mmCIF file of all heavy atoms in Angstrom:
data_model
loop_
_atom_site.group_PDB
_atom_site.id
_atom_site.type_symbol
_atom_site.label_atom_id
_atom_site.label_comp_id
_atom_site.label_asym_id
_atom_site.label_seq_id
_atom_site.Cartn_x
_atom_site.Cartn_y
_atom_site.Cartn_z
ATOM 1 N N MET A 28 91.603 74.538 127.555
ATOM 2 C CA MET A 28 92.521 73.734 126.756
ATOM 3 C C MET A 28 92.204 73.876 125.277
ATOM 4 O O MET A 28 93.086 74.071 124.459
ATOM 5 C CB MET A 28 92.410 72.273 127.207
ATOM 6 C CG MET A 28 93.323 71.342 126.468
ATOM 7 S SD MET A 28 95.022 71.683 126.905
ATOM 8 C CE MET A 28 95.839 70.447 125.988
ATOM 9 N N PHE A 29 90.901 73.769 124.951
ATOM 10 C CA PHE A 29 90.452 73.873 123.575
ATOM 11 C C PHE A 29 90.775 75.248 122.996
ATOM 12 O O PHE A 29 91.202 75.385 121.839
ATOM 13 C CB PHE A 29 88.944 73.611 123.554
ATOM 14 C CG PHE A 29 88.369 73.372 122.197
ATOM 15 C CD1 PHE A 29 88.767 72.287 121.449
ATOM 16 C CD2 PHE A 29 87.431 74.235 121.677
ATOM 17 C CE1 PHE A 29 88.244 72.059 120.193
ATOM 18 C CE2 PHE A 29 86.897 74.017 120.434
ATOM 19 C CZ PHE A 29 87.301 72.934 119.688
ATOM 20 N N LYS A 30 90.588 76.284 123.834
ATOM 21 C CA LYS A 30 90.856 77.659 123.417
ATOM 22 C C LYS A 30 92.350 77.868 123.143
ATOM 23 O O LYS A 30 92.719 78.534 122.172
ATOM 24 C CB LYS A 30 90.367 78.606 124.509
ATOM 25 C CG LYS A 30 90.322 80.032 124.109
ATOM 26 C CD LYS A 30 89.690 80.849 125.230
ATOM 27 C CE LYS A 30 89.502 82.270 124.811
ATOM 28 N NZ LYS A 30 88.877 83.064 125.865
ATOM 29 N N ILE A 31 93.204 77.306 123.943
ATOM 30 C CA ILE A 31 94.652 77.439 123.778
ATOM 31 C C ILE A 31 95.109 76.791 122.475
ATOM 32 O O ILE A 31 95.959 77.340 121.762
ATOM 33 C CB ILE A 31 95.395 76.836 124.986
ATOM 34 C CG1 ILE A 31 95.080 77.642 126.248
ATOM 35 C CG2 ILE A 31 96.891 76.794 124.749
ATOM 36 C CD1 ILE A 31 95.578 77.024 127.517
ATOM 37 N N ILE A 32 94.541 75.656 122.145
ATOM 38 C CA ILE A 32 94.899 74.971 120.900
ATOM 39 C C ILE A 32 94.540 75.834 119.696
ATOM 40 O O ILE A 32 95.331 75.981 118.762
ATOM 41 C CB ILE A 32 94.208 73.595 120.820
ATOM 42 C CG1 ILE A 32 94.792 72.663 121.878
ATOM 43 C CG2 ILE A 32 94.353 72.989 119.437
ATOM 44 C CD1 ILE A 32 94.033 71.368 122.041
ATOM 45 N N PHE A 33 93.354 76.438 119.703
ATOM 46 C CA PHE A 33 92.938 77.253 118.576
ATOM 47 C C PHE A 33 93.723 78.559 118.486
ATOM 48 O O PHE A 33 94.025 79.034 117.389
ATOM 49 C CB PHE A 33 91.441 77.525 118.616
ATOM 50 C CG PHE A 33 90.660 76.437 117.952
ATOM 51 C CD1 PHE A 33 90.128 75.409 118.693
ATOM 52 C CD2 PHE A 33 90.484 76.429 116.588
ATOM 53 C CE1 PHE A 33 89.427 74.386 118.092
ATOM 54 C CE2 PHE A 33 89.782 75.412 115.967
ATOM 55 C CZ PHE A 33 89.249 74.385 116.713
ATOM 56 N N ILE A 34 94.072 79.148 119.599
ATOM 57 C CA ILE A 34 94.898 80.364 119.571
ATOM 58 C C ILE A 34 96.277 80.047 119.017
ATOM 59 O O ILE A 34 96.831 80.793 118.200
ATOM 60 C CB ILE A 34 94.985 80.987 120.980
ATOM 61 C CG1 ILE A 34 93.630 81.558 121.372
ATOM 62 C CG2 ILE A 34 96.063 82.065 121.030
ATOM 63 C CD1 ILE A 34 93.547 82.029 122.802
ATOM 64 N N THR A 35 96.853 78.922 119.399
ATOM 65 C CA THR A 35 98.154 78.508 118.881
ATOM 66 C C THR A 35 98.073 78.209 117.394
ATOM 67 O O THR A 35 98.938 78.652 116.619
ATOM 68 C CB THR A 35 98.657 77.261 119.633
ATOM 69 O OG1 THR A 35 98.648 77.518 121.038
ATOM 70 C CG2 THR A 35 100.056 76.887 119.193
ATOM 71 N N LEU A 36 97.058 77.493 116.973
ATOM 72 C CA LEU A 36 96.859 77.187 115.557
ATOM 73 C C LEU A 36 96.693 78.465 114.748
ATOM 74 O O LEU A 36 97.304 78.620 113.689
ATOM 75 C CB LEU A 36 95.635 76.291 115.378
ATOM 76 C CG LEU A 36 95.264 75.918 113.941
ATOM 77 C CD1 LEU A 36 96.354 75.038 113.344
ATOM 78 C CD2 LEU A 36 93.929 75.221 113.911
ATOM 79 N N PHE A 37 95.891 79.388 115.246
ATOM 80 C CA PHE A 37 95.673 80.660 114.570
ATOM 81 C C PHE A 37 96.990 81.438 114.436
ATOM 82 O O PHE A 37 97.298 81.969 113.370
ATOM 83 C CB PHE A 37 94.638 81.489 115.333
ATOM 84 C CG PHE A 37 94.382 82.827 114.729
ATOM 85 C CD1 PHE A 37 93.680 82.929 113.549
ATOM 86 C CD2 PHE A 37 94.835 83.980 115.338
ATOM 87 C CE1 PHE A 37 93.435 84.160 112.976
ATOM 88 C CE2 PHE A 37 94.594 85.213 114.781
ATOM 89 C CZ PHE A 37 93.887 85.312 113.600
ATOM 90 N N SER A 38 97.754 81.481 115.495
ATOM 91 C CA SER A 38 99.026 82.209 115.459
ATOM 92 C C SER A 38 99.999 81.590 114.463
ATOM 93 O O SER A 38 100.650 82.308 113.693
ATOM 94 C CB SER A 38 99.668 82.218 116.844
ATOM 95 O OG SER A 38 98.836 82.865 117.756
ATOM 96 N N LEU A 39 100.098 80.274 114.461
ATOM 97 C CA LEU A 39 101.024 79.610 113.551
ATOM 98 C C LEU A 39 100.634 79.777 112.090
ATOM 99 O O LEU A 39 101.496 79.833 111.211
ATOM 100 C CB LEU A 39 101.127 78.127 113.897
ATOM 101 C CG LEU A 39 101.842 77.805 115.205
ATOM 102 C CD1 LEU A 39 101.762 76.311 115.490
ATOM 103 C CD2 LEU A 39 103.286 78.250 115.154
ATOM 104 N N LEU A 40 99.339 79.865 111.810
ATOM 105 C CA LEU A 40 98.886 80.038 110.437
ATOM 106 C C LEU A 40 98.953 81.492 109.969
ATOM 107 O O LEU A 40 99.134 81.755 108.787
ATOM 108 C CB LEU A 40 97.459 79.515 110.285
ATOM 109 C CG LEU A 40 97.303 78.003 110.375
ATOM 110 C CD1 LEU A 40 95.837 77.633 110.348
ATOM 111 C CD2 LEU A 40 98.051 77.312 109.261
ATOM 112 N N GLU A 41 98.828 82.448 110.878
ATOM 113 C CA GLU A 41 98.791 83.856 110.495
ATOM 114 C C GLU A 41 100.174 84.501 110.411
ATOM 115 O O GLU A 41 100.346 85.452 109.656
ATOM 116 C CB GLU A 41 97.933 84.644 111.487
ATOM 117 C CG GLU A 41 96.468 84.352 111.391
ATOM 118 C CD GLU A 41 95.808 84.948 110.177
ATOM 119 O OE1 GLU A 41 96.232 86.017 109.728
ATOM 120 O OE2 GLU A 41 94.855 84.333 109.678
ATOM 121 N N ILE A 42 101.156 84.017 111.139
ATOM 122 C CA ILE A 42 102.486 84.642 111.167
ATOM 123 C C ILE A 42 103.131 84.715 109.783
ATOM 124 O O ILE A 42 103.630 85.784 109.410
ATOM 125 C CB ILE A 42 103.394 83.943 112.202
ATOM 126 C CG1 ILE A 42 102.925 84.291 113.614
ATOM 127 C CG2 ILE A 42 104.851 84.348 112.024
ATOM 128 C CD1 ILE A 42 103.622 83.531 114.704
ATOM 129 N N PRO A 43 103.137 83.660 108.977
ATOM 130 C CA PRO A 43 103.755 83.784 107.643
ATOM 131 C C PRO A 43 103.064 84.816 106.754
ATOM 132 O O PRO A 43 103.733 85.554 106.024
ATOM 133 C CB PRO A 43 103.614 82.388 107.038
ATOM 134 C CG PRO A 43 103.359 81.486 108.163
ATOM 135 C CD PRO A 43 102.723 82.293 109.233
ATOM 136 N N PHE A 44 101.733 84.902 106.850
ATOM 137 C CA PHE A 44 101.017 85.896 106.059
ATOM 138 C C PHE A 44 101.323 87.310 106.548
ATOM 139 O O PHE A 44 101.405 88.244 105.760
ATOM 140 C CB PHE A 44 99.508 85.641 106.098
ATOM 141 C CG PHE A 44 99.097 84.445 105.296
ATOM 142 C CD1 PHE A 44 98.652 83.301 105.912
ATOM 143 C CD2 PHE A 44 99.170 84.465 103.921
ATOM 144 C CE1 PHE A 44 98.275 82.198 105.184
ATOM 145 C CE2 PHE A 44 98.794 83.364 103.169
ATOM 146 C CZ PHE A 44 98.352 82.228 103.802
ATOM 147 N N PHE A 45 101.490 87.475 107.847
ATOM 148 C CA PHE A 45 101.817 88.790 108.390
ATOM 149 C C PHE A 45 103.203 89.230 107.929
ATOM 150 O O PHE A 45 103.404 90.401 107.592
ATOM 151 C CB PHE A 45 101.737 88.775 109.922
ATOM 152 C CG PHE A 45 101.921 90.125 110.536
ATOM 153 C CD1 PHE A 45 100.944 91.086 110.393
ATOM 154 C CD2 PHE A 45 103.073 90.426 111.228
ATOM 155 C CE1 PHE A 45 101.099 92.343 110.946
ATOM 156 C CE2 PHE A 45 103.247 91.680 111.789
ATOM 157 C CZ PHE A 45 102.257 92.639 111.655
ATOM 158 N N ILE A 46 104.151 88.304 107.883
ATOM 159 C CA ILE A 46 105.495 88.625 107.403
ATOM 160 C C ILE A 46 105.455 89.010 105.929
ATOM 161 O O ILE A 46 106.091 89.986 105.515
ATOM 162 C CB ILE A 46 106.448 87.443 107.652
ATOM 163 C CG1 ILE A 46 106.670 87.252 109.157
ATOM 164 C CG2 ILE A 46 107.781 87.656 106.936
ATOM 165 C CD1 ILE A 46 107.386 85.983 109.526
ATOM 166 N N LYS A 47 104.662 88.278 105.127
ATOM 167 C CA LYS A 47 104.507 88.627 103.710
ATOM 168 C C LYS A 47 103.840 89.986 103.556
ATOM 169 O O LYS A 47 104.180 90.756 102.667
ATOM 170 C CB LYS A 47 103.692 87.557 102.982
ATOM 171 C CG LYS A 47 104.444 86.275 102.785
ATOM 172 C CD LYS A 47 103.580 85.255 102.071
ATOM 173 C CE LYS A 47 104.313 83.941 101.942
ATOM 174 N NZ LYS A 47 103.529 82.930 101.229
ATOM 175 N N PHE A 48 102.881 90.280 104.436
ATOM 176 C CA PHE A 48 102.216 91.583 104.382
ATOM 177 C C PHE A 48 103.198 92.707 104.662
ATOM 178 O O PHE A 48 103.188 93.735 103.970
ATOM 179 C CB PHE A 48 101.063 91.624 105.387
ATOM 180 C CG PHE A 48 100.450 92.985 105.523
ATOM 181 C CD1 PHE A 48 99.599 93.454 104.545
ATOM 182 C CD2 PHE A 48 100.729 93.788 106.609
ATOM 183 C CE1 PHE A 48 99.031 94.711 104.655
ATOM 184 C CE2 PHE A 48 100.177 95.046 106.727
ATOM 185 C CZ PHE A 48 99.313 95.507 105.748
ATOM 186 N N LEU A 49 104.051 92.529 105.652
ATOM 187 C CA LEU A 49 105.037 93.571 105.963
ATOM 188 C C LEU A 49 106.010 93.782 104.802
ATOM 189 O O LEU A 49 106.373 94.922 104.491
ATOM 190 C CB LEU A 49 105.800 93.219 107.241
ATOM 191 C CG LEU A 49 105.001 93.272 108.533
ATOM 192 C CD1 LEU A 49 105.880 92.845 109.699
ATOM 193 C CD2 LEU A 49 104.451 94.668 108.761
ATOM 194 N N LYS A 50 106.417 92.708 104.166
ATOM 195 C CA LYS A 50 107.306 92.813 103.005
ATOM 196 C C LYS A 50 106.615 93.557 101.864
ATOM 197 O O LYS A 50 107.213 94.425 101.231
ATOM 198 C CB LYS A 50 107.738 91.421 102.550
ATOM 199 C CG LYS A 50 108.719 91.445 101.411
ATOM 200 C CD LYS A 50 109.107 90.046 100.981
ATOM 201 C CE LYS A 50 110.003 90.108 99.764
ATOM 202 N NZ LYS A 50 110.248 88.795 99.194
ATOM 203 N N ALA A 51 105.359 93.231 101.599
ATOM 204 C CA ALA A 51 104.614 93.903 100.537
ATOM 205 C C ALA A 51 104.376 95.369 100.881
ATOM 206 O O ALA A 51 104.403 96.230 100.005
ATOM 207 C CB ALA A 51 103.287 93.196 100.297
ATOM 208 N N HIS A 52 104.180 95.656 102.159
ATOM 209 C CA HIS A 52 103.965 97.043 102.587
ATOM 210 C C HIS A 52 105.225 97.879 102.386
ATOM 211 O O HIS A 52 105.138 99.037 101.984
ATOM 212 C CB HIS A 52 103.515 97.065 104.048
ATOM 213 C CG HIS A 52 103.158 98.423 104.536
ATOM 214 N ND1 HIS A 52 102.025 99.064 104.117
ATOM 215 C CD2 HIS A 52 103.784 99.260 105.390
ATOM 216 C CE1 HIS A 52 101.970 100.243 104.699
ATOM 217 N NE2 HIS A 52 103.030 100.378 105.484
ATOM 218 N N ARG A 53 106.373 97.301 102.671
ATOM 219 C CA ARG A 53 107.639 98.020 102.465
ATOM 220 C C ARG A 53 107.896 98.312 100.993
ATOM 221 O O ARG A 53 108.487 99.330 100.657
ATOM 222 C CB ARG A 53 108.811 97.214 103.029
ATOM 223 C CG ARG A 53 109.029 97.455 104.510
ATOM 224 C CD ARG A 53 110.293 96.804 104.996
ATOM 225 N NE ARG A 53 109.909 95.515 105.586
ATOM 226 C CZ ARG A 53 110.463 94.356 105.298
ATOM 227 N NH1 ARG A 53 111.446 94.287 104.435
ATOM 228 N NH2 ARG A 53 110.052 93.258 105.869
ATOM 229 N N GLU A 54 107.438 97.405 100.126
ATOM 230 C CA GLU A 54 107.655 97.571 98.694
ATOM 231 C C GLU A 54 106.509 98.315 98.015
ATOM 232 O O GLU A 54 106.518 98.468 96.795
ATOM 233 C CB GLU A 54 107.862 96.205 98.043
ATOM 234 C CG GLU A 54 109.097 95.497 98.547
ATOM 235 C CD GLU A 54 109.224 94.089 98.029
ATOM 236 O OE1 GLU A 54 108.354 93.663 97.231
ATOM 237 O OE2 GLU A 54 110.178 93.406 98.435
ATOM 238 N N CYS A 55 105.532 98.797 98.793
ATOM 239 C CA CYS A 55 104.382 99.572 98.303
ATOM 240 C C CYS A 55 103.592 98.837 97.224
ATOM 241 O O CYS A 55 103.248 99.414 96.189
ATOM 242 C CB CYS A 55 104.833 100.944 97.797
ATOM 243 S SG CYS A 55 105.537 101.974 99.081
ATOM 244 N N GLU A 56 103.313 97.578 97.449
ATOM 245 C CA GLU A 56 102.505 96.788 96.528
ATOM 246 C C GLU A 56 101.090 96.680 97.099
ATOM 247 O O GLU A 56 100.784 95.782 97.880
ATOM 248 C CB GLU A 56 103.106 95.401 96.344
ATOM 249 C CG GLU A 56 104.479 95.418 95.692
ATOM 250 C CD GLU A 56 105.037 94.031 95.516
ATOM 251 O OE1 GLU A 56 104.232 93.094 95.350
ATOM 252 O OE2 GLU A 56 106.262 93.899 95.551
ATOM 253 N N ILE A 57 100.243 97.603 96.678
ATOM 254 C CA ILE A 57 98.900 97.703 97.256
ATOM 255 C C ILE A 57 98.049 96.487 96.927
ATOM 256 O O ILE A 57 97.324 95.977 97.795
ATOM 257 C CB ILE A 57 98.217 99.003 96.788
ATOM 258 C CG1 ILE A 57 98.984 100.195 97.347
ATOM 259 C CG2 ILE A 57 96.768 99.047 97.242
ATOM 260 C CD1 ILE A 57 98.513 101.526 96.830
ATOM 261 N N THR A 58 98.126 95.988 95.712
ATOM 262 C CA THR A 58 97.290 94.834 95.350
ATOM 263 C C THR A 58 97.708 93.589 96.128
ATOM 264 O O THR A 58 96.853 92.802 96.546
ATOM 265 C CB THR A 58 97.367 94.544 93.844
ATOM 266 O OG1 THR A 58 98.719 94.390 93.459
ATOM 267 C CG2 THR A 58 96.754 95.668 93.051
ATOM 268 N N ARG A 59 98.999 93.425 96.317
ATOM 269 C CA ARG A 59 99.481 92.267 97.075
ATOM 270 C C ARG A 59 99.079 92.381 98.537
ATOM 271 O O ARG A 59 98.707 91.382 99.171
ATOM 272 C CB ARG A 59 100.998 92.173 96.933
ATOM 273 C CG ARG A 59 101.552 90.886 97.401
ATOM 274 C CD ARG A 59 103.001 90.808 97.056
ATOM 275 N NE ARG A 59 103.364 89.420 96.885
ATOM 276 C CZ ARG A 59 104.577 89.010 96.657
ATOM 277 N NH1 ARG A 59 105.542 89.869 96.514
ATOM 278 N NH2 ARG A 59 104.831 87.736 96.542
ATOM 279 N N GLU A 60 99.161 93.604 99.096
ATOM 280 C CA GLU A 60 98.743 93.819 100.480
ATOM 281 C C GLU A 60 97.276 93.448 100.654
ATOM 282 O O GLU A 60 96.911 92.774 101.618
ATOM 283 C CB GLU A 60 98.921 95.285 100.872
ATOM 284 C CG GLU A 60 100.334 95.732 101.059
ATOM 285 C CD GLU A 60 100.400 97.205 101.399
ATOM 286 O OE1 GLU A 60 99.477 97.717 102.055
ATOM 287 O OE2 GLU A 60 101.378 97.847 101.002
ATOM 288 N N THR A 61 96.448 93.895 99.730
ATOM 289 C CA THR A 61 95.019 93.622 99.802
ATOM 290 C C THR A 61 94.730 92.125 99.727
ATOM 291 O O THR A 61 93.916 91.602 100.492
ATOM 292 C CB THR A 61 94.282 94.350 98.661
ATOM 293 O OG1 THR A 61 94.632 95.730 98.703
ATOM 294 C CG2 THR A 61 92.786 94.194 98.793
ATOM 295 N N ALA A 62 95.409 91.442 98.828
ATOM 296 C CA ALA A 62 95.212 90.000 98.694
ATOM 297 C C ALA A 62 95.616 89.268 99.973
ATOM 298 O O ALA A 62 94.906 88.358 100.428
ATOM 299 C CB ALA A 62 96.008 89.476 97.513
ATOM 300 N N ILE A 63 96.717 89.662 100.561
ATOM 301 C CA ILE A 63 97.178 89.011 101.795
ATOM 302 C C ILE A 63 96.198 89.269 102.934
ATOM 303 O O ILE A 63 95.877 88.361 103.711
ATOM 304 C CB ILE A 63 98.604 89.486 102.147
ATOM 305 C CG1 ILE A 63 99.600 88.970 101.106
ATOM 306 C CG2 ILE A 63 99.001 89.024 103.536
ATOM 307 C CD1 ILE A 63 100.981 89.556 101.214
ATOM 308 N N ILE A 64 95.695 90.490 103.034
ATOM 309 C CA ILE A 64 94.728 90.816 104.086
ATOM 310 C C ILE A 64 93.444 89.999 103.909
ATOM 311 O O ILE A 64 92.888 89.478 104.881
ATOM 312 C CB ILE A 64 94.416 92.329 104.086
ATOM 313 C CG1 ILE A 64 95.628 93.126 104.556
ATOM 314 C CG2 ILE A 64 93.206 92.648 104.959
ATOM 315 C CD1 ILE A 64 96.047 92.869 105.984
ATOM 316 N N ILE A 65 92.984 89.856 102.663
ATOM 317 C CA ILE A 65 91.776 89.064 102.409
ATOM 318 C C ILE A 65 91.992 87.604 102.801
ATOM 319 O O ILE A 65 91.128 86.982 103.427
ATOM 320 C CB ILE A 65 91.343 89.198 100.938
ATOM 321 C CG1 ILE A 65 90.821 90.610 100.682
ATOM 322 C CG2 ILE A 65 90.280 88.158 100.576
ATOM 323 C CD1 ILE A 65 90.575 90.924 99.233
ATOM 324 N N ILE A 66 93.152 87.061 102.464
ATOM 325 C CA ILE A 66 93.467 85.678 102.845
ATOM 326 C C ILE A 66 93.505 85.534 104.366
ATOM 327 O O ILE A 66 92.979 84.562 104.915
ATOM 328 C CB ILE A 66 94.798 85.226 102.214
ATOM 329 C CG1 ILE A 66 94.641 85.088 100.704
ATOM 330 C CG2 ILE A 66 95.275 83.918 102.825
ATOM 331 C CD1 ILE A 66 95.944 84.881 99.967
ATOM 332 N N MET A 67 94.086 86.507 105.047
ATOM 333 C CA MET A 67 94.160 86.456 106.506
ATOM 334 C C MET A 67 92.761 86.521 107.133
ATOM 335 O O MET A 67 92.481 85.809 108.104
ATOM 336 C CB MET A 67 95.042 87.589 107.024
ATOM 337 C CG MET A 67 96.513 87.402 106.731
ATOM 338 S SD MET A 67 97.517 88.806 107.189
ATOM 339 C CE MET A 67 97.483 88.685 108.969
ATOM 340 N N ILE A 68 91.885 87.343 106.575
ATOM 341 C CA ILE A 68 90.525 87.449 107.107
ATOM 342 C C ILE A 68 89.758 86.145 106.891
ATOM 343 O O ILE A 68 89.074 85.658 107.799
ATOM 344 C CB ILE A 68 89.790 88.643 106.465
ATOM 345 C CG1 ILE A 68 90.395 89.956 106.968
ATOM 346 C CG2 ILE A 68 88.293 88.592 106.757
ATOM 347 C CD1 ILE A 68 89.910 91.177 106.235
ATOM 348 N N ILE A 69 89.877 85.574 105.696
ATOM 349 C CA ILE A 69 89.201 84.303 105.412
ATOM 350 C C ILE A 69 89.706 83.205 106.345
ATOM 351 O O ILE A 69 88.920 82.430 106.899
ATOM 352 C CB ILE A 69 89.382 83.908 103.932
ATOM 353 C CG1 ILE A 69 88.607 84.868 103.040
ATOM 354 C CG2 ILE A 69 88.950 82.466 103.691
ATOM 355 C CD1 ILE A 69 88.898 84.717 101.569
ATOM 356 N N LEU A 70 91.012 83.141 106.544
ATOM 357 C CA LEU A 70 91.589 82.142 107.441
ATOM 358 C C LEU A 70 91.098 82.344 108.873
ATOM 359 O O LEU A 70 90.748 81.371 109.556
ATOM 360 C CB LEU A 70 93.118 82.226 107.378
ATOM 361 C CG LEU A 70 93.900 81.154 108.075
ATOM 362 C CD1 LEU A 70 93.610 79.803 107.431
ATOM 363 C CD2 LEU A 70 95.385 81.450 107.977
ATOM 364 N N ALA A 71 91.027 83.583 109.313
ATOM 365 C CA ALA A 71 90.533 83.869 110.660
ATOM 366 C C ALA A 71 89.070 83.462 110.808
ATOM 367 O O ALA A 71 88.680 82.902 111.842
ATOM 368 C CB ALA A 71 90.714 85.349 110.973
ATOM 369 N N LEU A 72 88.262 83.721 109.798
ATOM 370 C CA LEU A 72 86.847 83.337 109.862
ATOM 371 C C LEU A 72 86.663 81.830 109.881
ATOM 372 O O LEU A 72 85.791 81.313 110.593
ATOM 373 C CB LEU A 72 86.080 83.954 108.691
ATOM 374 C CG LEU A 72 85.877 85.466 108.758
ATOM 375 C CD1 LEU A 72 85.252 85.961 107.462
ATOM 376 C CD2 LEU A 72 85.029 85.840 109.952
ATOM 377 N N ILE A 73 87.474 81.111 109.117
ATOM 378 C CA ILE A 73 87.396 79.648 109.122
ATOM 379 C C ILE A 73 87.760 79.091 110.493
ATOM 380 O O ILE A 73 87.063 78.232 111.040
ATOM 381 C CB ILE A 73 88.305 79.048 108.025
ATOM 382 C CG1 ILE A 73 87.726 79.357 106.642
ATOM 383 C CG2 ILE A 73 88.476 77.546 108.220
ATOM 384 C CD1 ILE A 73 88.658 79.010 105.501
ATOM 385 N N ILE A 74 88.833 79.592 111.068
ATOM 386 C CA ILE A 74 89.252 79.116 112.390
ATOM 387 C C ILE A 74 88.222 79.485 113.442
ATOM 388 O O ILE A 74 87.897 78.680 114.322
ATOM 389 C CB ILE A 74 90.657 79.652 112.735
ATOM 390 C CG1 ILE A 74 91.682 79.011 111.827
ATOM 391 C CG2 ILE A 74 91.002 79.396 114.194
ATOM 392 C CD1 ILE A 74 93.076 79.526 111.979
ATOM 393 N N TYR A 75 87.656 80.679 113.350
ATOM 394 C CA TYR A 75 86.609 81.092 114.297
ATOM 395 C C TYR A 75 85.368 80.196 114.174
ATOM 396 O O TYR A 75 84.772 79.808 115.174
ATOM 397 C CB TYR A 75 86.243 82.557 114.075
ATOM 398 C CG TYR A 75 85.191 83.066 115.019
ATOM 399 C CD1 TYR A 75 85.478 83.276 116.362
ATOM 400 C CD2 TYR A 75 83.891 83.309 114.586
ATOM 401 C CE1 TYR A 75 84.506 83.729 117.234
ATOM 402 C CE2 TYR A 75 82.917 83.756 115.440
ATOM 403 C CZ TYR A 75 83.238 83.971 116.766
ATOM 404 O OH TYR A 75 82.268 84.413 117.634
ATOM 405 N N GLY A 76 85.010 79.883 112.935
ATOM 406 C CA GLY A 76 83.870 78.993 112.717
ATOM 407 C C GLY A 76 84.081 77.613 113.301
ATOM 408 O O GLY A 76 83.193 77.051 113.938
ATOM 409 N N ILE A 77 85.256 77.063 113.104
ATOM 410 C CA ILE A 77 85.581 75.750 113.675
ATOM 411 C C ILE A 77 85.576 75.828 115.201
ATOM 412 O O ILE A 77 85.091 74.923 115.879
ATOM 413 C CB ILE A 77 86.932 75.241 113.138
ATOM 414 C CG1 ILE A 77 86.824 74.953 111.643
ATOM 415 C CG2 ILE A 77 87.374 73.997 113.886
ATOM 416 C CD1 ILE A 77 88.161 74.651 110.982
ATOM 417 N N PHE A 78 86.077 76.936 115.742
ATOM 418 C CA PHE A 78 86.093 77.111 117.197
ATOM 419 C C PHE A 78 84.683 77.174 117.752
ATOM 420 O O PHE A 78 84.392 76.591 118.801
ATOM 421 C CB PHE A 78 86.871 78.375 117.557
ATOM 422 C CG PHE A 78 86.891 78.675 119.026
ATOM 423 C CD1 PHE A 78 87.675 77.916 119.879
ATOM 424 C CD2 PHE A 78 86.141 79.700 119.553
ATOM 425 C CE1 PHE A 78 87.691 78.175 121.223
ATOM 426 C CE2 PHE A 78 86.154 79.976 120.895
ATOM 427 C CZ PHE A 78 86.925 79.217 121.743
ATOM 428 N N MET A 79 83.787 77.865 117.052
ATOM 429 C CA MET A 79 82.412 77.984 117.539
ATOM 430 C C MET A 79 81.655 76.666 117.442
ATOM 431 O O MET A 79 80.788 76.393 118.260
ATOM 432 C CB MET A 79 81.665 79.083 116.766
ATOM 433 C CG MET A 79 82.200 80.479 117.024
ATOM 434 S SD MET A 79 82.255 80.919 118.764
ATOM 435 C CE MET A 79 80.528 81.052 119.123
ATOM 436 N N ILE A 80 81.983 75.850 116.440
ATOM 437 C CA ILE A 80 81.347 74.532 116.321
ATOM 438 C C ILE A 80 81.804 73.621 117.460
ATOM 439 O O ILE A 80 81.017 72.877 118.032
ATOM 440 C CB ILE A 80 81.671 73.882 114.960
ATOM 441 C CG1 ILE A 80 80.931 74.625 113.846
ATOM 442 C CG2 ILE A 80 81.297 72.412 114.956
ATOM 443 C CD1 ILE A 80 81.324 74.175 112.465
ATOM 444 N N GLY A 81 83.104 73.689 117.779
ATOM 445 C CA GLY A 81 83.667 72.827 118.810
ATOM 446 C C GLY A 81 83.358 73.332 120.153
ATOM 447 O O GLY A 81 82.948 72.857 121.097
#
């Protein structure tokens, strides 16, 4: 149950960033792509950390 909640939370938080990444990729904006990827990695690490604590 706990795992399902975190997977759902992770998916809901990452989808908007993934859509922004695809838009930036189509427009060939390398700096924006990099920034979005860094934000996604930080968000994933935070959620993973909270999951490991719980």
Side-chain angles (χ1 to χ4, degrees):
M28 181 68 178
F29 193 63
K30 192 174 186 179
I31 295 171
I32 292 170
F33 273 95
I34 291 172
T35 306
L36 178 66
F37 178 72
S38 299
L39 290 175
L40 290 174
E41 290 286 328
I42 289 173
F44 288 110
F45 186 70
I46 292 170
K47 288 180 183 181
F48 172 77
L49 291 178
K50 183 181 175 188
H52 185 71
R53 275 188 263 130
E54 297 173 2
C55 296
E56 296 181 30
I57 295 173
T58 55
R59 193 172 208 184
E60 288 178 32
T61 306
I63 292 170
I64 291 296
I65 291 171
I66 291 170
M67 289 174 72
I68 290 170
I69 291 170
L70 189 63
L72 289 173
I73 290 171
I74 292 175
Y75 181 71
I77 293 171
F78 178 74
M79 293 305 290
I80 289 172

